[in-house]
Amino acid sequence: MNDLQLTIELTKHPKEKPAADQLAFGTVFTDHLFTMDYTAGRGWHDAKIKPYEPISLDPAAIVFHYGQTVFEGLKAYVTEEQEVVLFRPEENLKRLNRSNDRLCMPEIDEEFALHALKELIRIDKDWIPNKEGTSLYIRPFIFATQPYLGVAPSATYTFMIILSPVGAYYKEGMNPVKIAVESEFVRAVAGGTGSAKTAGNYAGAMKAQEIAEANGYSQVLWLDGKERHYIEEVGAMNVFFKIDGEIVTPSLNGSILEGVTRKSVIELLRHWGIPVHERKISMEELHAASQAGTLEEAFGSGTAAVISPIGELFWKGEKMTIHNGEIGPLSQRIYDTITGIQTGKLEDPFGWRVNVFE
Ligand code: COI
């Protein structure tokens, strides 16, 4: 794959950029995209950066019928020194390949993908918003393009990267979100695709999400698919709790997404000398802690959501308010540090930032 050449065609019709204070999540796209095709027996070929435009696919393409597709989400920022940086992109590319493997899709060359991504961002760098709480969201995705109605891995694929200037994922911004604990539907079971970043996991979650939203909740907290006792993750985030001084997060059990922000939070806490326990956490334990007044803080972590405090959990008809519905000190400290490192306001002792121009 090392002989892959990247060709570049620039747009003749640059679009108008949105005002940074008007940005929602994932509604506006930049001037260019990256695309590359795969053909069995030939490998990846035709790597291009070109103007952003709709694509044309055969209606029988496998992706439409059997959902053979994977994606990633990461972000770029402009620092106060006008450097353009990415946050741990190698982690996302590694995970993309783990998802590829789970969905019987071809591996990508992570080094080449990072090279192409940096080039794309250099071209569209003026789209990176620099207002507090905004960033350039990066969505790499790969999908099966072979026209075939038999259930089998496709012989052809397309890998694309699109870019979207974004504001906060939740309309609440940094204000705590309200989350409904889901007892009826399940997201994933061990052995399924829960730890892969694949479209079907999200499509299957929409029913529960819709019901939660109709009841005034931002997202659902998923429980394990077998016993429906143990906490897994929230719709677009991993989740952490502080219970009687102990910081806990569900252990990676095969059905939970291995979040890059989750990993960063754990590494940061350990760097601060604060122990984090990755273990099973039951809803019963959380409820008992809430009753005893020892459920001190809860927050979600994710690329899109960053660090999102949870102010209320709704479970079996009961509201559990956390930290008076306000952001707790630990969640605030983690938010400030992670976003500080991401945006270049703080030192980066871990080497997490990657300069797009180097
Ligand atoms: C992300 O945090 O980047 C995600 O992929 C979650 C998403 C489905 C918006």
Side-chain angles (χ1 to χ4, degrees):
M1 268 193 284
N2 291 336
D3 53 356
L4 265 171
Q5 295 298 317
L6 182 62
T7 65
I8 298 175
E9 178 198 340
L10 297 182
T11 184
K12 295 190 177 62
H13 309 285
K15 296 184 275 196
E16 199 173 315
K17 298 178 184 63
D21 58 358
Q22 301 292 310
L23 291 172
F25 181 84
T27 54
V28 176
F29 303 94
T30 66
D31 284 325
H32 299 89
L33 56 74
F34 166 76
T35 175
M36 169 165 83
D37 293 324
Y38 176 91
T39 309
R42 183 173 170 201
W44 289 103
H45 55 90
D46 288 306
K48 284 180 218 147
I49 289 175
K50 61 179 204 174
Y52 188 101
E53 62 182 3
I55 52 177
S56 162
L57 280 182
D58 194 296
I62 288 176
V63 63
F64 295 133
H65 306 275
Y66 308 123
Q68 200 193 10
T69 178
V70 297
F71 71 95
E72 268 304 322
L74 64 160
K75 284 178 171 171
Y77 308 83
V78 194
T79 69
E80 274 163 14
E81 288 73 39
Q82 300 306 305
E83 279 179 354
V84 178
V85 294
L86 295 166
F87 184 70
R88 311 191 79 176
E90 306 89 352
E91 293 292 330
N92 293 88
L93 294 170
K94 272 196 255 169
R95 188 173 62 185
L96 187 60
N97 267 335
R98 289 200 298 274
S99 302
N100 277 332
D101 181 58
R102 180 64 184 82
L103 274 285
C104 299
M105 295 171 59
E107 194 180 18
I108 54 150
D109 180 333
E110 293 165 24
E111 214 177 296
F112 179 78
L114 184 57
H115 159 71
L117 171 59
K118 285 177 162 182
E119 190 64 51
L120 178 63
I121 292 178
R122 287 195 284 262
I123 291 170
D124 276 346
K125 67 176 185 327
D126 294 343
W127 283 86
I128 309 176
N130 63 4
K131 188 177 162 279
E132 170 94 39
T134 65
S135 57
L136 186 72
Y137 186 76
I138 302 163
R139 172 54 62 88
F141 58 113
I142 307 177
F143 51 94
T145 54
Q146 185 188 351
Y148 179 51
L149 294 185
V151 179
S154 180
T156 57
Y157 298 86
T158 296
F159 174 20
M160 286 194 157
I161 306 176
I162 55 173
L163 308 174
S164 173
V166 297
Y169 186 72
Y170 294 110
K171 63 174 181 355
E172 289 87 344
M174 250 314 265
N175 294 321
V177 289
K178 296 205 271 176
I179 304 278
V181 181
E182 179 56 56
S183 304
E184 184 187 353
F185 300 103
V186 297
R187 174 184 174 274
V189 289
T193 56
S195 64
K197 216 155 167 61
T198 184
N201 292 338
Y202 296 81
M206 287 178 189
K207 188 78 188 167
Q209 166 81 17
E210 195 176 68
I211 296 170
E213 274 174 7
N215 291 323
Y217 291 88
S218 301
Q219 292 211 354
V220 301
L221 176 64
W222 296 106
L223 301 182
D224 76 279
K226 202 166 155 204
E227 297 178 61
R228 315 234 179 141
H229 281 308
Y230 298 102
I231 289 162
E232 298 239 315
E233 63 179 76
V234 176
M237 327 187 270
N238 294 112
V239 68
F240 288 79
F241 301 96
K242 185 166 173 232
I243 305 173
D244 203 13
E246 182 197 11
I247 301 172
V248 291
T249 189
S251 35
L252 299 173
N253 57 1
S255 56
I256 294 175
L257 190 81
E258 298 178 29
V260 177
T261 315
R262 174 189 184 278
K263 181 174 179 169
S264 308
V265 169
I266 293 173
E267 288 171 12
L268 183 63
L269 286 165
R270 292 194 174 140
H271 175 77
W272 286 341
I274 302 177
V276 195
H277 296 114
E278 295 178 70
R279 64 166 173 86
K280 281 183 153 186
I281 308 156
S282 70
M283 246 343 272
E284 287 74 12
E285 175 187 351
L286 216 57
H287 183 250
S290 167
Q291 296 265 298
T294 55
L295 177 54
E296 293 160 13
E297 291 190 42
F299 62 89
S301 66
T303 297
V306 197
I307 298 297
S308 182
I310 299 172
E312 182 186 311
L313 285 177
F314 182 75
W315 183 55
K316 294 192 174 164
E318 204 180 309
K319 288 183 180 170
M320 298 158 52
T321 303
I322 305 168
H323 207 271
N324 293 322
E326 287 159 19
I327 183 164
L330 182 73
S331 313
Q332 184 75 57
R333 184 177 176 206
I334 294 170
Y335 173 86
D336 290 344
T337 310
I338 296 264
T339 57
I341 294 175
Q342 287 172 332
T343 57
K345 289 198 185 83
L346 294 180
E347 284 294 300
D348 175 17
F350 310 99
W352 285 342
R353 275 196 304 266
V354 171
N355 190 320
V356 164
F357 284 88
E358 278 169 9

